[in-house]
Amino acid sequence: MEKKDINWGELGFAYMPTDYRFVSNWKNGAWDDGALITDPNIVISECAGVLQYAQTVFEGLKAYTTEDGRIVCFRPDLNADRLEASCKRLQMPVFPKDRFVEAVREVVKANAAFVPPFGSGATLYLRPYMFGSDAVIGVKPATEYQFRILCTPVGPYFKGGVKPLTVRISDLDRAAPRGTGNIKAGLNYAMSLYNIVDAHNCGFDENIYLDPGTRTKIEETGGANIIFITKDNKVVTPKSDSILPSITRRSLLQVAQEYCGLEVEEREVELAEIGEFAECGLCGTAAVISPVGKIVDHGKEICMPAGMTEMGPVTKKLYDTLTGIQMGRLPAPEGWIVEIM
């Protein structure tokens, strides 16, 4: 298979159309067979449920070329599980888990020429998503839906090397108490757009959101879960019902225990205690772990001992181990790696 003529080393994290995408429609209470199509455009009613009431959910995962030349995906079954939870919360039909994983296989295989080669630092990013597609004028769920998977080659999140982030404690809330913070819905991300632009304008890389009930506990950022490392090398991650359950975070915690021999604790993390941690990182599909060097709480600067020059030692060990599993350099736990071809 001949690869596309792409300068893999120059790719950013941006959309590039590929040859095929998967599409399946829900109508009259059932999903159709679905198909790979070449047209990247979507034509829907001007009154479609997604446009009127934001009835849409999505996922994100990647396909990689391993060191031995295989093309694989990382834990797509967990993306299917999370999409199911999101759909149920927004009164949308569930796309079956087995069909989800198979559709991921089909899309990656059909676009294999766009999967970057091993060593390039680039990957194929997949975006499964679903939306209400028929006309809805009253406030109610749509009756027809479309499920799609697009993919696009993307470059490494850290071009030119890792630089620890400077983040701020946000005055705004990411989610409402007992709201939709624990699902991957477009409406959650729309709510964060004003705040992330404001953060960038103020010189910060991200916002850290506090719990919406008491505003005394750390939750997550606008697009990633948070992990902390204590001074005695314990991995701590905030626990809350309004945090999105990150697949990367879940995997990192298992890696910490089973591969690195570290103690792991998932618990409430008070804002008042963050100065006691040695390292901090934001974890998600795009970068695996983005190190945090400084947290600013309304003018008060809390600097991580690891500093602003490089990733902390424990964070780097977790990053190297998980990416080693994804790229085939290290043996993976059963079921983590789905081979495409």
Side-chain angles (χ1 to χ4, degrees):
M1 175 204 59
E2 186 176 351
K3 294 290 185 181
K4 296 289 183 179
D5 184 17
I6 296 172
N7 187 342
W8 306 107
E10 294 300 315
L11 283 174
F13 200 83
Y15 172 70
M16 175 190 294
T18 53
D19 291 340
Y20 296 95
R21 62 276 308 140
F22 178 85
V23 180
S24 180
N25 291 286
W26 168 277
K27 190 174 182 178
N28 298 323
W31 290 105
D32 64 17
D33 291 338
L36 291 172
I37 66 169
T38 57
D39 187 358
N41 299 304
I42 299 172
V43 178
I44 54 175
S45 167
E46 64 183 350
C47 198
V50 61
L51 301 179
Q52 304 307 317
Y53 302 118
Q55 202 180 15
T56 178
V57 296
F58 69 98
E59 279 298 320
L61 67 157
K62 289 180 177 180
Y64 312 83
T65 301
T66 62
E67 196 165 13
D68 59 5
R70 295 173 297 139
I71 295 177
V72 304
C73 280
F74 183 70
R75 310 192 79 175
D77 57 315
L78 296 189
N79 292 99
D81 288 340
R82 192 167 62 183
L83 186 74
E84 177 178 345
S86 299
C87 287
K88 288 179 176 178
R89 181 64 176 82
L90 293 191
Q91 287 291 342
M92 302 171 72
V94 172
F95 195 74
K97 182 174 180 176
D98 58 339
R99 290 194 59 193
F100 178 100
V101 175
E102 185 54 36
V104 167
R105 289 179 181 273
E106 289 182 31
V107 171
V108 175
K109 190 175 293 186
N111 293 289
F114 287 93
V115 181
F118 176 81
S120 65
T123 56
L124 186 72
Y125 182 82
L126 289 96
R127 171 55 60 82
Y129 60 109
M130 189 193 302
F131 56 88
S133 55
D134 63 325
V136 178
I137 197 67
V139 181
K140 61 181 180 180
T143 59
E144 296 178 11
Y145 296 85
Q146 188 167 108
F147 170 78
R148 299 174 72 101
I149 303 178
L150 65 82
C151 64
T152 184
V154 296
Y157 196 80
F158 298 116
K159 290 186 74 67
V162 176
K163 180 183 177 183
L165 309 176
T166 297
V167 301
R168 70 175 181 184
I169 301 298
S170 175
D171 285 327
L172 302 181
D173 291 331
R174 174 188 159 270
R178 297 173 295 281
T180 58
N182 62 342
I183 65 170
K184 203 166 178 68
L187 56 92
N188 291 339
Y189 292 80
M191 288 172 60
S192 72
L193 296 180
Y194 170 85
N195 213 22
I196 189 61
V197 171
D198 183 65
H200 291 166
N201 289 340
C202 294
F204 301 101
D205 296 298
E206 249 291 11
N207 297 288
I208 288 182
Y209 292 96
L210 304 178
D211 72 288
T214 71
R215 295 192 51 80
T216 61
K217 305 177 185 69
I218 298 293
E219 292 235 316
E220 60 174 311
T221 70
N225 281 187
I226 304 173
I227 61 170
F228 294 100
I229 311 298
T230 66
K231 292 173 182 176
D232 59 355
N233 294 341
K234 180 189 295 183
V235 181
V236 177
T237 185
K239 182 177 183 179
S240 166
D241 291 337
S242 55
I243 290 177
L244 181 74
S246 164
I247 293 165
T248 303
R249 182 196 65 177
R250 178 173 169 176
S251 303
L252 283 168
L253 295 183
Q254 189 170 338
V255 162
Q257 289 180 299
E258 298 180 6
Y259 285 74
C260 302
L262 300 172
E263 187 177 349
V264 167
E265 187 176 17
E266 187 176 2
R267 62 170 174 82
E268 291 184 343
V269 176
E270 299 287 338
L271 172 60
E273 68 175 299
I274 59 175
E276 301 172 11
F277 293 110
E279 300 174 38
C280 175
L282 313 184
C283 55
T285 300
V288 182
I289 307 178
S290 306
V292 173
K294 185 190 298 182
I295 300 171
V296 180
D297 182 8
H298 300 86
K300 176 185 176 183
E301 294 188 349
I302 302 165
C303 298
M304 297 292 112
M308 293 296 295
T309 57
E310 60 185 4
M311 189 178 283
V314 176
T315 304
K316 188 175 190 309
K317 187 174 184 179
L318 293 174
Y319 174 86
D320 289 344
T321 305
L322 185 55
T323 55
I325 291 170
Q326 292 171 335
M327 294 297 179
R329 294 190 296 269
L330 295 172
E334 185 176 355
W336 278 29
I337 303 298
V338 173
E339 187 169 339
I340 308 298
M341 57 187 298

